[in-house]
Amino acid sequence: MKRNLATRLAVYTILLAIVIGALVSTITIYVNYSRTVSQLENTASQLLELTLDSARSAVFQLDPELADNVLTGLMQYPLFVQVTLFDELGGELASISRPGRPSQPPLENLINVPVREFSYELPLDNNDSQSGRLVALVDIQQGLSGFYNQSILTASAQILMAVVLAIIIFLVVVYLVTTPLSQLAAKLAATHPGSESKLAVDSRHANDELGLLADSANKYLGAAYEYQQELEESGKRLQNILDNLREGVLLVDSDGRVVESNKAAEAMFAYDAEQFQGLYLPSLVQKAGYSDYGELLMDVSRHSQTGLRCQASRTNGSSFLVELSVSPFTAQRLDQTLWTIRDLSEQEEVERQRHELEEQLRQSQKMEAIGTLAGGIAHDFNNILAGINGFAELALVNEQQGKSTEKNINQILRASNKAAQLVQRILTFSRKQKENRQLFNLADVASESVDLVRQTIPASIEVNADLGDQAYPIFGDESMMHQVLMNLFTNAAGALKNEPGEIRLTMQVIASSQSSREARSSKSRVRIVVEDSGPGIPESILPRIFEPYFTTKEQGEGTGIGLAMVHSIINSHGGKIKAENSGRGARFVIDLPLYEGAALPISEKQQKQEVGVVGRAEQILLVEDNEMLAEMFPELLESLGYEVELARDGQEALDLYQANREKYDLVITDQTMPRMNGDKLIRAIFELDPEQPIILCTGYSDVVDRENVLAMGVKSFLNKPLTLDEIRQAIQEALAA
């Protein structure tokens, strides 16, 4: 409870008055006491001196009666408590004493004055050697009783006067100071710090200290009002900034509960501000596997530089990708954290569209390269078909003449294999597929690219490759590397314009210790050089050679995206590419980082070994719609020792399988067929028996690829045309599994 200033002032003033009054009274009593004691001593001394002559006579005459009369006269005065008269021999001539001190008032008891002794020598006839002596004991206390009474009255009067004066001063101070000050304090307490109210005092205090105090208070109230206005404006600006941010902002307490949120966060999660209050933060990202706030805070803190990406949930249950970041937030001594949440769903869609566009550009560039090579492809196929037709006719003639046809048939097989390889390389290069980075040998890719380009460009252009005997392990996308090399080869062929010339490919390892500016890296790199004997690249366009849509070709001959795509692919694989002119034509130099990890996987060509195991009458359900293949495949499989049942489409095969699923040890199916394609047939069979061995064969399909088919559980994926060894090995592996 607060005490009133006036009350305290009254108490202090009265106490001070009492103390001052007591002090003044004490000083006054002391001075009067000293003076009274001195007067009493003088009085006693004078009385004794008046009796000296009588006392001397009594001593001289040795008259005890006279001596007793003298002493009795002195004892009439209350000051004397004992008087003794001694003769010249020191003998007691007379002595009178008063009984003990009567009881005294408290004040007299408090001030105890000791009894004083007065002694006078009484010489006889001016003879100092013979004298009597008068001794008196004087009690000053007996003479102070009146003094004590007067002192009490004096002290009381002085203290009373001090108290009265203090009360008067108190009333004046209350009237002039404490009452106006209390009123001013009450007004100040009732005034809000951020309001425009001002304090006012009575006119009599306008120019005194209270007026100055009111003016000072008004000054600070005005400053507080301005500060409050600025604070409110700053708060509004800050809230406006937070509400206009695209990122969601949440203030979270130490328990993981949301304290405040901005509009972006509320719109992002479809919560209103009230729903966000007290919401447990991990509940927003439960789909990402977070249920504990401490675990979430730790994971986000570990990703402080990049932010943690995870799936979040809206109120309707839909998921979307977010990026979380956190920073400490200290205010009012509270342990809180500030969370920033970015909605990446739009960015994710933009990234997806960008990847799709890049895939389309790459595919377009591939088609452009295929279009450039179309004439060479047609020329090579015509040569192959001419060889097949010629050796087939020779086989018929030799059979009619009774000669051996084995040589002719072997030549037909060799030509058909060459055609199959050409088709497979074109499909591999032109196939539209997602980026798939894995470990592969760049030398194999280069070898296949060289074989393809040799078959598709004019024979007047010689293609030479120096790949060395070592492997070049690269972690990347094999199809993209095909695309890079084929683009450089077709550009080189276009620069030669069907004139005799040479395209040369070389590969070598650049050790990490080499100080070449292009190869400077902590890892070893493989350097790929593609050069031609053409006219070279004009120096004026060299700086722009990798710009998108920049081309020197005539309209309809190219789009200008080929080299830009090459540059993009090499950069995405951590490499570098540059174009320059050599002494004999254009040269492109590529540096790619070599993989320094586990050994390269064994290639399919290395894995394929001739399998001598033949069938043991296992039942095979063959699904093939092509007339010629439907006639050839059963006979081929039966020659390997298997029993075959033929279905001409996927629906017929499914009906046969459903009728007697335990009959078939293996299913071999084509992909593209009437009524039901191969992939749908495979799914239907796996629903009936997930362990059923299946082999998928296809000439070409843009619906399925090797990765998808093997992921479904199919034992083998084969591309037509097939050799006897390929069929035999695939069947043996499928049945063994």
Side-chain angles (χ1 to χ4, degrees):
M1 181 177 179
K2 296 182 178 179
R3 291 185 296 174
N4 189 276
L5 178 61
T7 303
R8 286 182 290 167
L9 182 61
V11 173
Y12 296 154
T13 304
I14 293 173
L15 290 177
L16 181 61
I18 293 173
V19 170
I20 293 174
L23 182 61
V24 171
S25 299
T26 301
I27 295 172
T28 302
I29 291 172
Y30 177 76
V31 171
N32 290 336
Y33 169 78
S34 298
R35 184 169 59 249
T36 301
V37 169
S38 179
Q39 290 175 352
L40 291 174
E41 289 177 348
N42 290 334
T43 299
S45 178
Q46 290 174 1
L47 290 174
L48 288 172
E49 289 176 358
L50 290 175
T51 61
L52 288 179
D53 291 339
S54 298
R56 186 181 298 108
S57 297
V59 170
F60 180 75
Q61 298 174 10
L62 296 174
D63 185 354
E65 183 177 355
L66 179 61
D68 188 61
N69 290 334
V70 172
L71 297 182
T72 300
L74 289 173
M75 291 300 291
Q76 292 178 358
Y77 298 98
L79 291 176
F80 298 100
V81 294
Q82 184 178 1
V83 182
T84 304
L85 186 61
F86 296 95
D87 59 18
E88 67 275 10
L89 299 177
E92 184 178 298
L93 183 62
S95 178
I96 300 176
S97 62
R98 199 182 303 278
R101 290 182 179 181
S103 59
Q104 303 291 333
L107 183 60
E108 296 180 17
N109 291 330
L110 182 65
I111 305 175
N112 187 17
V113 181
V115 176
R116 300 196 180 182
E117 181 181 300
F118 289 82
S119 179
Y120 291 90
E121 295 294 331
L122 302 173
L124 301 178
D125 295 333
N126 296 324
N127 186 0
D128 291 336
S129 61
Q130 293 183 353
S131 65
R133 186 161 55 91
L134 178 63
V135 178
L137 296 179
V138 179
D139 187 359
I140 302 299
Q141 190 81 6
Q142 299 298 323
L144 292 176
S145 57
F147 164 77
Y148 291 139
N149 295 331
Q150 183 65 34
S151 297
I152 291 174
L153 291 175
T154 302
S156 300
Q158 289 177 343
I159 292 174
L160 181 60
M161 289 176 59
V163 170
V164 171
L165 180 62
I167 292 174
I168 294 172
I169 295 173
F170 163 72
L171 293 176
V172 172
V173 171
V174 167
Y175 176 73
L176 294 177
V177 179
T178 59
T179 299
L181 188 61
S182 298
Q183 294 173 351
L184 185 63
K187 292 179 181 179
L188 184 60
T191 303
H192 191 274
S195 67
E196 292 185 278
S197 302
K198 292 187 177 181
L199 301 180
V201 295
D202 293 341
S203 58
R204 65 177 183 271
H205 297 296
N207 298 318
D208 60 15
E209 287 80 359
L210 287 175
L212 180 61
L213 179 61
D215 291 340
S216 300
N218 288 330
K219 177 180 178 182
Y220 284 105
L221 284 174
Y225 174 74
E226 293 178 0
Y227 177 75
Q228 181 71 18
Q229 293 298 110
E230 292 178 1
L231 190 62
E232 290 178 0
E233 289 296 325
S234 176
K236 290 178 181 179
R237 288 195 298 270
L238 179 60
Q239 189 62 45
N240 190 38
I241 292 172
L242 289 175
D243 288 339
N244 284 279
L245 287 175
R246 296 188 62 187
E247 292 81 6
V249 179
L250 299 177
L251 185 61
V252 180
D253 63 19
S254 58
D255 296 325
R257 302 286 177 181
V258 177
V259 178
E260 293 184 21
S261 59
N262 70 338
K263 289 184 178 179
E266 295 161 10
M268 189 183 302
F269 291 94
Y271 283 98
D272 56 31
E274 293 182 358
Q275 290 175 313
F276 252 128
Q277 289 294 320
L279 183 69
Y280 191 48
L281 184 64
S283 64
L284 300 175
V285 289
Q286 279 184 342
K287 290 190 176 181
Y290 292 102
S291 58
D292 180 69
Y293 177 68
E295 179 186 0
L296 176 61
L297 181 61
M298 185 178 298
D299 281 1
V300 176
S301 299
R302 280 200 298 261
H303 295 79
S304 58
Q305 299 298 323
T306 60
L308 174 66
R309 295 192 174 191
C310 63
Q311 290 293 321
S313 303
R314 295 186 174 92
T315 52
N316 59 9
S318 62
S319 300
F320 64 107
L321 184 64
V322 297
E323 181 182 277
L324 301 177
S325 58
V326 63
S327 59
F329 182 84
T330 304
Q332 300 177 351
R333 299 181 181 178
L334 298 177
D335 184 14
Q336 297 175 332
T337 49
L338 193 66
W339 292 73
T340 303
I341 306 175
R342 293 181 58 202
D343 184 352
L344 300 182
S345 53
E346 293 184 5
Q347 181 179 339
E348 188 178 25
E349 178 63 20
V350 170
E351 288 291 325
R352 186 188 64 78
Q353 293 178 358
R354 185 178 66 81
H355 284 305
E356 288 183 356
L357 181 60
E358 289 180 353
E359 290 294 332
Q360 292 173 4
L361 286 173
R362 279 197 289 268
Q363 190 66 18
S364 174
Q365 195 273 330
K366 289 179 181 180
M367 294 302 101
E368 179 183 333
I370 292 295
T372 303
L373 301 174
I377 294 171
H379 176 269
D380 207 51
F381 262 111
N382 286 333
N383 288 338
I384 292 172
L385 291 175
I388 292 174
N389 288 335
F391 282 114
E393 290 176 353
L394 284 175
L396 291 174
V397 171
N398 288 337
E399 185 180 10
Q400 292 173 357
Q401 295 177 356
K403 297 180 180 179
S404 173
T405 60
E406 181 180 358
K407 179 179 179 181
N408 306 116
I409 293 174
N410 285 334
Q411 290 293 341
I412 292 172
L413 288 173
R414 188 178 295 111
S416 63
N417 286 336
K418 185 176 181 181
Q421 291 173 2
L422 178 59
V423 170
Q424 188 59 42
R425 288 178 181 133
I426 294 173
L427 291 177
T428 299
F429 174 69
S430 63
R431 183 177 293 118
K432 183 179 181 181
Q433 59 187 14
K434 295 180 180 178
E435 182 176 343
N436 180 26
R437 298 203 176 196
Q438 58 186 359
L439 187 61
F440 65 93
N441 185 3
L442 187 60
D444 294 339
V445 176
S447 179
E448 292 177 4
S449 300
V450 169
D451 290 342
L452 177 59
V453 79
R454 281 174 177 164
Q455 292 175 309
T456 54
I457 65 175
S460 59
I461 300 175
E462 184 179 357
V463 180
N464 296 316
D466 181 9
L467 306 181
D469 298 329
Q470 69 180 94
Y472 302 98
I474 297 292
F475 187 83
D477 189 289
E478 189 172 348
S479 175
M480 288 184 177
M481 290 299 109
H482 267 290
Q483 183 177 352
V484 167
L485 293 175
M486 288 302 299
N487 184 279
L488 296 179
F489 285 145
T490 54
N491 279 354
L496 291 171
K497 300 184 181 298
N498 296 329
E499 296 293 330
E502 180 188 14
I503 301 174
R504 183 171 182 81
L505 169 67
T506 59
M507 296 175 65
Q508 61 176 329
V509 173
I510 305 297
S512 59
S513 59
Q514 185 168 333
S515 60
S516 169
R517 182 173 61 184
E518 295 82 1
R520 190 174 300 157
S521 171
S522 60
K523 294 182 178 181
S524 297
R525 307 171 77 85
V526 57
R527 173 162 293 178
I528 309 154
V529 179
V530 178
E531 54 185 336
D532 60 63
S533 59
I537 305 171
E539 294 293 334
S540 60
I541 67 171
L542 263 178
R544 303 184 60 192
I545 197 70
F546 294 112
E547 291 182 10
Y549 304 107
F550 176 77
T551 180
T552 58
K553 297 178 181 179
E554 298 294 334
Q555 186 173 2
E557 294 184 0
T559 60
I561 63 172
L563 288 178
M565 191 64 65
V566 167
H567 186 270
S568 174
I569 291 172
I570 296 301
N571 280 345
S572 70
H573 283 72
K576 296 180 180 179
I577 182 172
K578 68 175 182 178
E580 59 188 14
N581 286 314
S582 63
R584 52 195 296 266
R587 175 165 58 194
F588 289 85
V589 181
I590 300 172
D591 285 338
L592 287 172
L594 285 172
Y595 181 79
E596 298 179 353
L600 277 169
I602 301 175
S603 66
E604 291 184 7
K605 292 181 180 180
Q606 293 172 314
Q607 290 177 339
K608 290 181 180 179
Q609 299 176 357
E610 189 168 326
V611 182
V613 178
V614 295
R616 297 181 178 87
E618 289 91 342
Q619 291 287 331
I620 296 178
L621 175 59
L622 176 65
V623 191
E624 179 59 66
D625 67 311
N626 184 272
E627 292 287 345
M628 182 174 63
L629 297 181
E631 181 180 353
M632 180 270 294
F633 262 128
E635 186 175 348
L636 185 64
L637 295 175
E638 289 170 356
S639 70
L640 294 175
Y642 302 105
E643 295 184 4
V644 181
E645 185 167 356
L646 179 65
R648 299 303 299 272
D649 60 54
Q651 186 60 55
E652 181 183 351
L654 182 59
D655 294 340
L656 290 173
Y657 190 84
Q658 289 175 332
N660 193 358
R661 73 175 76 174
E662 297 180 355
K663 176 181 179 181
Y664 304 107
D665 299 300
L666 178 66
V667 177
I668 301 177
T669 179
D670 189 19
Q671 166 58 23
T672 307
M673 298 180 293
R675 296 206 294 170
M676 181 182 289
N677 283 336
D679 58 330
K680 293 183 179 180
L681 172 62
I682 292 170
R683 292 188 180 93
I685 291 176
F686 279 156
E687 289 181 1
L688 299 173
D689 183 4
E691 302 299 326
Q692 174 64 56
I694 301 177
I695 296 175
L696 178 65
C697 302
T698 181
Y700 172 75
S701 174
D702 57 359
V703 177
V704 297
D705 57 25
R706 178 182 297 275
E707 290 78 13
N708 293 336
V709 169
L710 296 180
M712 291 169 59
V714 173
K715 301 302 180 183
S716 184
F717 178 83
L718 301 177
N719 287 306
K720 299 175 183 178
L722 304 173
T723 65
L724 181 62
D725 287 340
E726 289 175 336
I727 296 173
R728 181 166 52 187
Q729 182 178 353
I731 293 175
Q732 191 269 339
E733 291 177 352
L735 292 175

